[in-house]
Amino acid sequence: MTTSPVRLRAETAPDQPDVTPALEELYRDFESELLVPLWTEIGDLMPAHPRSHAVPHLWRWQSLRRLAEQAGDLVPVGRGGERRAIALANPSLSGRPFATPTLWAAIQYLMPGEDAPEHRHTQHAFRFVVEGSGVWTVVGGDPVPMNRGDFLPQAGWNWHAHHNATAEPMAWIDGLDIPFQYATEAQFFEFGRDEISDAERTTPEWSRSERLWGHPGLRPLGAPAPTSGSPLLAYKWEFTDRALADQLAMEKEGHAGTVEPGHAAVRYSNPHTGGDVLPTIRAEFHRIARGAETAPVRETGSSVYQVFDGAGTVTVGDRTWSVTRGDLFVVPSWVPFSARSEAGTSDSDSGALDLFRFSDAPVFEALHLDRKDSTR
């Protein structure tokens, strides 16, 4: 006889039925028929507010970089491992390689002259570069340069490979919706070519996607129909930096533009639709002027932050950390987050605390489950 995975326990507790032999027998019958009464589970299934399975956690960039370098010496990047990508594992998610229940974040490392072979998957992805240059990601045959501060989104089911054309290794972070597609059992994966062509192994300063879509406010009339993600494959740092600097400059001049005092922010958007760059991932960049502190905010859905530049203090729930360039941390669903900038000219090119953020907000908005609360 197969043992039932359902285990029910009759307990004397408020709002629970009296414990009697008849109730015990009813529960055994429920177990044998694989039935679970709501009255025994409602506190867990329908809490008063979200209780994330993830917890706040911080990963230090220096440790990640050191371990990625060691992996570069020991782990091949070809078929099998497929990518030399090392995922962040939230300590409360049972050892799974998930930063949050819906988001994957990893450091990827490519040695000089190496190629990461071509593949495609339904998971939506991006790359964000906190340091270095010299790698080109090739998406659908279009070589796209990767440099510090660049954000490179890539919608699912697009062929892509990487090649390092320099004599130096390079690391960056990958973000994907792997946990979300894993939970919804919607993922597909396919191997591509082992090697890209010589034509794709070029090193242009601007990709074809940037030449077509990278002109502010101008939509190419001859462009193909919209796809599931942004047709612009690289959002260059020079434009992000300028937008943030202008917001803070306007604030000093007495004009509106920042989200709160000393806090400039932008969202990467799809130039074809004006919406998020990816169907399941939102990406933003935040700049907090030295001495400024953001209001505590809690939202449904989870986020991963990377410190791009500067230093400061971040508070996630009951955890507070001092952070510096490259550090990554998780903000789980409905856990308050705030940040204070302690950056200066010695540790930040902008003199501010710069934070890259990605979240699962598009999923929650599409399902009308988005909610936000600020205490300021």
Side-chain angles (χ1 to χ4, degrees), residues 20-338:
T20 65
L23 183 69
E24 294 279 9
E25 183 179 355
L26 176 64
Y27 280 7
R28 301 295 80 76
D29 289 342
F30 281 164
E31 290 174 353
S32 65
E33 294 296 329
L34 300 179
L35 300 171
V36 179
L38 178 60
W39 61 82
T40 65
E41 298 287 333
I42 191 167
D44 181 54
L45 296 177
M46 297 182 179
H49 57 78
R51 297 173 182 169
S52 180
H53 290 292
V55 295
H57 192 73
L58 173 75
W59 292 264
R60 296 292 183 188
W61 180 248
Q62 292 304 317
S63 296
L64 294 174
R65 189 71 159 77
R66 173 177 55 81
L67 293 170
E69 289 174 355
Q70 293 178 21
D73 294 331
L74 299 172
V75 181
V77 77
R79 295 297 187 208
E82 193 64 14
R83 293 287 191 269
R84 194 184 291 113
I86 306 162
L88 310 185
N90 192 286
S92 70
L93 296 181
S94 303
R96 299 296 296 168
F98 302 159
T100 81
T102 56
L103 299 173
W104 160 289
I107 179 173
Q108 188 169 161
Y109 193 79
L110 203 61
M111 297 289 282
E114 279 189 332
D115 293 349
E118 185 180 63
H119 65 208
R120 64 177 176 175
H121 41 71
T122 50
Q123 292 86 351
H124 303 291
F126 72 81
R127 286 159 280 284
F128 179 73
V129 186
V130 74
E131 64 181 30
S133 62
V135 168
W136 271 255
T137 183
V138 182
V139 181
D142 187 7
V144 188
M146 296 170 58
N147 298 290
R148 172 166 158 77
D150 291 352
F151 170 71
L152 301 99
Q154 176 209 295
W157 213 236
N158 281 286
W159 293 112
H160 58 286
H162 314 309
H163 70 93
N164 187 340
T166 72
E168 297 293 331
M170 184 174 167
W172 63 91
I173 66 164
D174 290 333
L176 295 92
D177 61 357
I178 291 175
F180 173 73
Q181 292 204 26
Y182 181 84
T184 54
E185 301 177 344
Q187 66 272 45
F188 290 85
F189 178 92
E190 187 175 349
F191 290 116
R193 300 165 295 170
D194 290 335
E195 296 182 1
I196 58 176
S197 67
D198 290 340
E200 296 166 299
R201 202 178 295 280
T202 55
T203 55
E205 183 180 359
W206 297 88
S207 64
R208 295 194 298 272
S209 78
E210 293 169 274
R211 292 164 63 190
L212 189 62
W213 286 99
H215 306 286
L218 300 175
R219 177 174 174 173
L221 297 183
T227 58
S228 59
S230 175
L232 180 59
L233 298 179
Y235 294 68
K236 288 191 180 296
W237 169 242
E238 60 188 277
F239 304 123
T240 307
D241 182 38
R242 175 63 181 272
L244 296 163
D246 282 347
Q247 287 186 23
L248 290 176
M250 289 176 61
E251 180 185 85
K252 289 183 178 180
E253 296 163 7
H255 304 293
T258 55
V259 294
E260 58 186 332
H263 180 187
V266 293
R267 180 174 300 163
Y268 299 96
S269 63
N270 183 332
H272 213 148
T273 65
D276 286 296
V277 288
L278 296 168
T280 55
I281 295 176
R282 174 166 295 167
E284 299 174 343
F285 205 103
H286 296 253
R287 175 167 290 172
I288 306 167
R290 178 175 175 80
E293 185 170 1
T294 67
V297 174
R298 56 183 179 177
E299 301 172 90
T300 50
S302 53
S303 298
V304 178
Y305 284 79
Q306 182 167 43
V307 180
F308 178 71
D309 215 354
T313 302
V314 298
T315 299
V316 186
D318 60 0
R319 302 296 303 274
T320 298
W321 301 291
S322 294
V323 294
T324 58
R325 178 187 286 192
D327 292 347
L328 292 119
F329 59 92
V330 161
V331 180
S333 183
W334 210 243
V335 174
F337 165 71
S338 63

